[in-house]
Amino acid sequence: MTQKIAIVTGAARGIGLATTRLFLRESWQVAMVDRDEDALLEAASELTGVLPIVADVAKPDAVRNAIQQVSDHFGRLDALVNNAGVADFGPIEETDFARWRRVMDTNIDGVFLMSQAATPALKETQGAIVNIASISGLRASTLRVAYGTSKAAVIHLTKQQAAELGEYGIRANCVCPGPVRTKLAMAVHTPDIIAAYHDAIPLNRYGTEEEIGEVIVFLCSEKASYVTGQIVASDGGFESTGVGLPSLRGQS
């Protein structure tokens, strides 16, 4: 059986790195794409079966070069995971156009550029695209005007990809992570914020990077061969709930 190849963007850390490791566990090989050269090379040095590619997914020339490197090195492509993203939080009044564009460049333009460049190779294998959005693309929240809007755009782009690329056998799905227990999140989330998230999440905890990665790898696999155009919230039930959960718990 021919070994399968995935591209994972934003692969130097977090969900991207966890997803890379899970692909390797399933005997895939992975092209790890990230613009942070030092972090990428350090992460890749500890893994076998990976090709690190330093590239900014918001730059068309860099994207074309990255796809060419994958083609030259592996000769095929079975899955593209568009995970690279910029997290930027601030009030609408303080989000100037430069700040807005910085988020959009990576979070939506990068997904569009990578997907378009990878489509010819994915046609040959009837491969899969998995875009990583966010729970912030499904429900509004404070301080997320650029971030949340960019992720909502990723959700709709996924549906467009599924509608248009399905005739080639290419599947496109989207994963929307909820609060994830990353080192960065735990460093910046105060006890009050952590408690508020726990109150709002039916499973009463943050998720892990590996839990998100498991969903991504599943959607790229043959086990999901008839799944396309779907938006999967991997969020402990966060998106499904409204007010009242803490009070309900207090009665039990």
Side-chain angles (χ1 to χ4, degrees):
M1 216 167 79
T2 304
Q3 190 165 39
K4 292 194 172 184
I5 308 301
I7 295 174
V8 179
T9 69
R13 58 177 62 83
I15 292 170
L17 181 55
T19 301
T20 296
R21 289 175 172 147
L22 290 169
F23 270 125
L24 296 174
R25 186 190 68 184
E26 298 297 319
S27 299
W28 289 53
Q29 291 185 307
V30 181
M32 302 173 65
V33 178
D34 206 289
R35 65 185 181 186
D36 187 336
E37 182 173 6
D38 291 342
L40 177 63
L41 296 181
E42 181 180 353
S45 69
E46 301 175 356
L47 303 172
T48 302
V50 301
L51 172 68
I53 299 174
V54 180
D56 185 340
V57 298
K59 297 180 178 178
D61 289 343
V63 167
R64 285 190 290 268
N65 180 62
I67 297 298
Q68 188 62 53
Q69 287 187 59
V70 173
S71 177
D72 292 344
H73 187 84
F74 294 114
R76 64 180 286 142
L77 177 62
D78 299 272
L80 168 64
V81 178
N82 285 307
N83 171 69
V86 172
D88 183 290
F89 305 127
I92 290 176
E93 298 96 328
E94 296 176 13
T95 302
D96 60 21
F97 188 65
R99 188 174 180 180
W100 172 273
R101 279 303 329 155
R102 185 174 70 87
V103 175
M104 297 298 167
D105 282 348
T106 298
N107 290 9
I108 184 61
D109 295 352
V111 175
F112 170 76
L113 291 170
M114 285 294 300
S115 300
Q116 190 176 61
T119 292
L122 291 173
K123 282 183 180 181
E124 295 181 8
T125 59
Q126 294 191 327
I129 298 171
V130 176
N131 300 320
I132 312 308
S134 168
I135 200 68
S136 294
L138 290 170
R139 59 188 296 176
S141 184
T142 55
L143 309 180
R144 287 166 171 78
V145 61
Y147 181 76
T149 303
S150 73
K151 293 302 188 178
V154 169
I155 289 168
H156 189 76
L157 176 58
T158 302
K159 294 180 180 181
Q160 288 291 145
Q161 291 169 338
E164 296 190 29
L165 301 179
E167 64 179 293
Y168 306 118
I170 298 174
R171 298 180 298 104
N173 293 289
C174 183
V175 176
C176 296
V180 176
R181 184 174 285 277
T182 63
K183 290 182 180 178
L184 177 60
M186 293 303 97
V188 300
H189 286 189
T190 64
D192 285 348
I193 291 174
I194 293 171
Y197 272 129
H198 281 218
D199 279 347
I201 297 171
L203 290 185
N204 200 25
R205 65 176 177 85
Y206 283 60
T208 68
E209 295 159 346
E210 289 73 21
E211 286 177 311
I212 309 302
E214 292 280 9
V215 178
I216 295 167
V217 172
F218 164 73
L219 289 171
C220 291
S221 76
E222 290 300 320
K223 294 178 181 179
S225 58
Y226 201 52
V227 180
T228 193
Q230 299 306 300
I231 313 305
V232 182
S234 184
D235 67 348
F238 185 36
E239 197 269 337
S240 68
T241 59
V243 298
L245 191 57
S247 297
L248 177 66
R249 286 193 177 128
Q251 295 173 15
S252 59

